[in-house]
Amino acid sequence: MPLFHTHVVVDWSARSKPSPKRKSRDAIWWAVARVADGIEVEEPEYVRTRHEALESLARLIALELDASRRVLVGVDFPFGYPTGVAKHLTGKASGLALWDWLAAQIEDAPDNDNNRYDVAAAINDAYPGLGPFWGRPSSWNYPAIPVRATTRTCQNRHPPERRICDVRASGAKTVWQLAYAGSVGSQMLLGLPALKRLVEDPRIAGRAAIWPFARLVTPDAPAVIAEVYPSLLRDQVRALRRDDEILDSAQVRVNAEAFARLDASGKLAPLFAGAPCHTAEERRVIETEEAWILGLGHEEALRRALRPP
């Protein structure tokens, strides 16, 4: 039996205005793959604003749960900051405490207008020197946020640049980069409060768990929200991308299918234990503060799941 009946992979966006009406890159996309007699992969969805996305995702998850279908939702931004950040900002060494803290700071309007750079500047002010956040257009008036990483000061007194999983995932960017190619910092600042609202939505509240906070095991909750990194399957996405398909669409579609096929084969459970090589201290940090990328350390299993028998 599969662990989940429905697999959803979401590509998030930190746009400050609604995405274009015409389907575009660097917007919010998600794909749904269902496990039944076989694997059914739906056409990816394109959404223009974060508020619209949260409403649609909450409705989708609720419908699946109400039909007694377990749901795995993978979201493509980091779920935690490097060790020590949560304690420094909230007084608690807890990733979820930092989610609560960010939710109280972030303002994200229905038209995507947001204050993420104000919040990033406030976090920078909590550390000596200039940084740790960096990356902004040079014309923007945020003196607390340097344009380039190399202009940061007192970096020896800043938090770590990367989490344990960011060091091990090939190509993963630092959580402190707010803009430019491959950045995840802005998506994270806006995404964590959004996920908090999602799991607290009355339609699914009490039925969703955030993995891996608490334990590196498969949660018992009917819905599980986990961090994913679609680039773990970059070669497979490249090979399976359709002619003229937007990369974001291909990434969510291929990754949702990979998780669903691995689940259908009865081999998804080991991914929830993290990587096989974790030390006891790494497990503690991952479970309390930093989180982990679902599938990292099990890339070959995901790749094999996409291969024809």
Side-chain angles (χ1 to χ4, degrees), residues 168-182:
R168 297 183 184 175
S170 176
K173 296 283 189 175
T174 170
V175 299
W176 305 114
Q177 182 180 346
L178 293 171
Y180 313 125

Side-chain angles (χ1 to χ4, degrees), residues 11 13 21 30 42 84 99 153 165 187 202 205 230 239 252:
D11 183 10
S13 170
K21 291 182 180 180
W30 68 75
E42 298 182 358
W99 286 34
T153 61
C165 61
Q187 288 91 328
V252 295

Side-chain angles (χ1 to χ4, degrees), residues 15 17-25 27-29 45-49 52 112 246:
R15 284 181 182 263
K17 295 180 180 179
S19 298
K21 291 182 180 180
R22 182 178 180 179
K23 293 179 180 180
S24 306
R25 56 176 294 182
I28 296 175
W29 289 83
E45 294 281 340
Y46 172 79
V47 185
R48 299 181 63 205
T49 68
E52 181 186 351
N112 274 357
I246 293 170

Side-chain angles (χ1 to χ4, degrees), residues 1-78:
M1 292 292 292
L3 296 175
F4 301 93
H5 304 91
T6 306
H7 294 256
V8 186
V9 172
V10 183
D11 183 10
W12 201 242
S13 170
R15 284 181 182 263
S16 293
K17 295 180 180 179
S19 298
K21 291 182 180 180
R22 182 178 180 179
K23 293 179 180 180
S24 306
R25 56 176 294 182
D26 299 329
I28 296 175
W29 289 83
W30 68 75
V32 178
R34 291 189 169 86
V35 181
D37 293 335
I39 305 297
E40 176 189 342
V41 184
E42 298 182 358
E43 282 300 305
E45 294 281 340
Y46 172 79
V47 185
R48 299 181 63 205
T49 68
R50 286 178 291 278
H51 275 247
E52 181 186 351
L54 283 183
E55 171 59 28
S56 297
L57 284 170
R59 184 169 59 248
L60 167 65
I61 295 168
L63 286 172
E64 295 296 309
L65 297 182
D66 291 346
S68 299
R69 296 175 61 86
R70 292 196 75 204
V71 184
L72 174 64
V73 181
V75 189
D76 78 331
F77 54 75

Side-chain angles (χ1 to χ4, degrees), residues 7-307:
H7 294 256
V8 186
V9 172
V10 183
D11 183 10
W12 201 242
S13 170
R15 284 181 182 263
S16 293
K17 295 180 180 179
S19 298
K21 291 182 180 180
R22 182 178 180 179
K23 293 179 180 180
S24 306
R25 56 176 294 182
D26 299 329
I28 296 175
W29 289 83
W30 68 75
V32 178
R34 291 189 169 86
V35 181
D37 293 335
I39 305 297
E40 176 189 342
V41 184
E42 298 182 358
E43 282 300 305
E45 294 281 340
Y46 172 79
V47 185
R48 299 181 63 205
T49 68
R50 286 178 291 278
H51 275 247
E52 181 186 351
L54 283 183
E55 171 59 28
S56 297
L57 284 170
R59 184 169 59 248
L60 167 65
I61 295 168
L63 286 172
E64 295 296 309
L65 297 182
D66 291 346
S68 299
R69 296 175 61 86
R70 292 196 75 204
V71 184
L72 174 64
V73 181
V75 189
D76 78 331
F77 54 75
F79 278 17
Y81 283 88
T83 183
V85 175
K87 180 70 176 292
H88 187 74
L89 295 177
T90 74
K92 298 179 181 179
S94 163
L96 291 179
L98 190 52
W99 286 34
D100 293 341
W101 186 88
L102 284 172
Q105 310 298 319
I106 287 289
E107 298 171 7
D108 196 3
D111 64 355
N112 274 357
D113 186 43
N114 63 82
N115 69 336
R116 70 185 188 278
Y117 271 86
D118 296 305
V119 175
I123 293 173
N124 275 5
D125 286 341
Y127 289 95
L130 192 61
F133 276 117
W134 64 276
R136 63 170 171 83
S138 57
S139 61
W140 288 18
N141 186 28
Y142 285 97
I145 301 175
V147 175
R148 291 177 289 274
T150 54
T151 58
R152 292 178 297 174
T153 61
C154 299
Q155 292 186 54
N156 61 323
R157 299 178 66 188
H158 289 169
E161 277 292 292
R162 287 175 170 80
R163 303 174 298 160
I164 297 167
C165 61
D166 299 330
V167 172
R168 297 183 184 175
S170 176
K173 296 283 189 175
T174 170
V175 299
W176 305 114
Q177 182 180 346
L178 293 171
Y180 313 125
S183 62
V184 296
S186 286
Q187 288 91 328
M188 190 175 177
L189 284 172
L190 297 173
L192 296 181
L195 287 185
K196 176 178 166 61
R197 293 198 300 274
L198 179 65
V199 299
E200 292 177 352
D201 186 288
R203 289 166 288 187
I204 61 176
R207 298 193 286 176
I210 305 296
W211 178 88
F213 292 130
R215 293 185 67 199
L216 274 165
V217 297
T218 308
D220 293 329
V224 176
I225 318 293
E227 175 186 342
V228 297
Y229 183 45
S231 291
L232 292 182
L233 296 176
R234 58 172 60 86
D235 292 340
Q236 287 68 36
V237 170
R238 186 182 302 114
L240 297 170
R241 185 180 179 184
R242 302 165 182 161
D243 291 343
D244 300 323
E245 185 177 16
I246 293 170
L247 178 60
D248 312 61
S249 171
Q251 285 183 325
V252 295
R253 178 177 57 80
V254 172
N255 275 266
E257 181 176 352
F259 282 108
R261 289 195 179 280
L262 189 63
D263 198 2
S265 70
K267 299 176 181 178
L268 185 66
L271 276 62
F272 288 97
C277 57
H278 291 319
T279 66
E281 175 60 14
E282 286 175 342
R283 291 182 66 89
R284 184 194 68 78
V285 169
I286 288 165
E287 292 174 336
T288 57
E289 299 181 67
E290 290 194 353
W292 186 258
I293 296 166
L294 185 65
L296 183 60
H298 301 269
E299 293 90 336
E300 185 54 33
L302 285 167
R303 295 177 190 128
R304 283 199 303 268
L306 288 168
R307 294 174 189 156

